[in-house]
Amino acid sequence: MTLRNITGVSEFLLLGFSEKPELQPFIFGIFLSMYLITVFGNLLIILAVSSDSHLHTPMYFFLSNLSFVDICFTSTTIPKMLANTQTENNVITHAGCITQMYFFLLLVGLDDFLLTVMAYDRFVAICHPLHYRVIMNPQLCGLLVLLSWIINNLHSLLQTLMVLRLSFYNKVKIPHYFCELNQVVKLACSDTFLNDAVMGFAAALLGGGPLAGILYSYSKIVSSIRRITSAQGKYKAFSTCVSHLSVVSLFYCTSIGVYLSSANTHSSHSRVFASVMYTVVTPMMNPFIYSLRNKNIHRALKAFFGTIAIKGPLAFGWRRTHG
């Protein structure tokens, strides 16, 4: 079949988790709850960092960026899935599918890059503490985040343009709850060799590269911690990395799980549920992981809500006096 643009395909069908009507309310309730927790939890992190001047440091700057990306990340897929579940209409337009694919690739890549930048920040803080403020200056922090956005924008744009060159049969059924790149390419009726090559190269470069950076940073961190003589010093140095290590482990373990499940072509449901782990569960867990043991976040949130509690009655009293 000769290549042609997707002019005959105006919509795709997202098969989701289950077609059984009796399961739809349960699925809707579970994912709505997880989505609201994700948005609320990450918003709290952003509010805490922005409202407390003591948290205006590189580590918390990157953490607030990660929280913002996680909110956008889940908002790319979950609201559409919830709408489909509620209306029992699994259709997504061709334009909507391409748009969703673009933002999904952009934001999952940003998650990966920000975790790498945060690992570098911990490396500098532990291995070069005397030069930390000089190395991790505001200009470098802003540049690292900007480069992450630029690189992942270019990557997601390339991948979506590559999909636009493919041909599809009408009424394509995607065995997923969102337009995942790999699943969409598999369903094309034209030659996908170039797409597969680009996806493989991008996965090695943009997936393997950040992972190698994280592993290198933590190998240096472990080596530096081992040279610390006091047990208290070792504990203090390691405790600053525990939250980040937990998030990195959760992100990469679930991503690898998706990759392994994709090798089994007869288990599309296992791939869908594996995808939930890094598209929904990981962004939902990040605020808990970073805030549960973080006294600075606790203090900032108490101060923030305390200020609101004080201002609320004062504003009400002012309105009654001048009303």
Side-chain angles (χ1 to χ4, degrees):
M1 180 180 290
T2 59
L3 291 178
R4 56 182 174 83
N5 290 330
I6 313 176
T7 55
V9 178
S10 59
E11 59 187 28
F12 297 92
L13 294 177
L14 298 171
L15 299 184
F17 298 96
S18 174
E19 296 182 3
K20 297 179 179 180
E22 62 271 17
L23 291 178
Q24 300 310 309
F26 174 75
I27 293 172
F28 179 84
I30 289 292
F31 279 88
L32 178 61
S33 301
M34 289 194 293
Y35 178 65
L36 293 176
I37 292 170
T38 301
V39 173
F40 183 69
N42 283 287
L43 274 177
L44 285 180
I45 295 290
I46 295 172
L47 287 172
V49 173
S50 60
S51 64
D52 192 337
S53 59
H54 296 95
L55 300 185
H56 294 174
T57 62
M59 181 178 74
Y60 291 107
F61 170 71
F62 296 132
L63 177 58
S64 61
N65 274 274
L66 181 67
S67 294
F68 172 74
V69 169
D70 281 341
I71 291 173
C72 298
F73 185 30
T74 53
S75 298
T76 302
T77 57
I78 301 303
K80 176 61 179 174
M81 187 274 287
L82 292 174
N84 288 352
T85 304
Q86 192 70 5
T87 61
E88 298 183 3
N89 181 8
N90 295 330
V91 171
I92 184 171
T93 64
H94 166 245
C97 186
I98 295 298
T99 303
Q100 188 181 69
M101 191 184 304
Y102 172 84
F103 282 105
F104 179 84
L105 291 170
L106 166 64
L107 295 164
V108 73
L110 278 170
D111 247 15
D112 198 8
F113 272 57
L114 286 173
L115 290 174
T116 307
V117 169
M118 293 170 77
Y120 176 71
D121 173 72
R122 293 299 83 204
F123 159 71
V124 176
I126 293 173
C127 300
H128 305 283
L130 299 178
H131 301 93
Y132 178 72
R133 292 185 178 277
V134 177
I135 297 173
M136 299 303 296
N137 56 76
Q139 291 77 19
L140 178 64
C141 294
L143 181 62
L144 289 172
V145 173
L146 179 62
L147 284 175
S148 299
W149 277 92
I150 292 173
I151 293 171
N152 285 287
N153 259 299
L154 292 174
H155 168 243
S156 56
L157 180 62
L158 172 64
Q159 294 287 10
T160 49
L161 289 176
M162 292 292 293
V163 172
L164 287 172
R165 60 182 287 276
L166 297 176
S167 302
F168 296 87
Y169 295 114
N170 197 24
K171 289 285 185 180
V172 177
K173 296 181 178 180
I174 302 174
H176 219 303
Y177 69 94
F178 67 95
C179 289
E180 188 191 34
L181 174 65
N182 192 42
Q183 290 293 316
V184 173
V185 171
K186 282 182 179 179
L187 296 170
C189 59
S190 54
D191 182 29
T192 62
F193 173 78
L194 189 57
N195 294 76
D196 293 332
V198 171
M199 283 192 296
F201 179 76
L205 185 64
L206 301 181
L211 178 59
I214 291 173
L215 293 175
Y216 175 80
S217 295
Y218 274 102
S219 67
K220 293 295 184 180
I221 289 171
V222 171
S223 177
S224 181
I225 291 176
R226 289 179 63 183
R227 290 196 294 268
I228 299 175
T229 55
S230 68
Q232 185 178 1
K234 287 183 178 180
Y235 174 78
K236 185 178 180 180
F238 183 73
S239 64
T240 63
C241 303
V242 170
S243 297
H244 182 257
L245 268 174
S246 302
V247 173
V248 168
S249 301
L250 187 60
F251 179 84
Y252 275 100
C253 288
T254 53
S255 301
I256 292 170
V258 172
Y259 175 79
L260 293 177
S261 66
S262 67
N264 184 3
T265 56
H266 300 290
S267 183
S268 60
H269 279 91
S270 66
R271 180 180 177 84
V272 173
F273 284 104
S275 297
V276 171
M277 292 301 296
Y278 83 95
T279 58
V280 184
V281 176
T282 300
M284 181 182 69
M285 292 302 298
N286 286 357
F288 294 102
I289 293 172
Y290 277 111
S291 63
L292 283 177
R293 298 176 65 252
N294 194 313
K295 295 179 181 179
N296 294 327
I297 295 288
H298 293 170
R299 185 188 67 246
L301 288 175
K302 284 181 181 178
F304 176 77
F305 287 113
T307 303
I308 291 178
I310 293 171
K311 286 183 177 180
L314 288 176
F316 179 73
W318 187 90
R319 284 195 299 267
R320 288 191 63 182
T321 304
H322 297 82

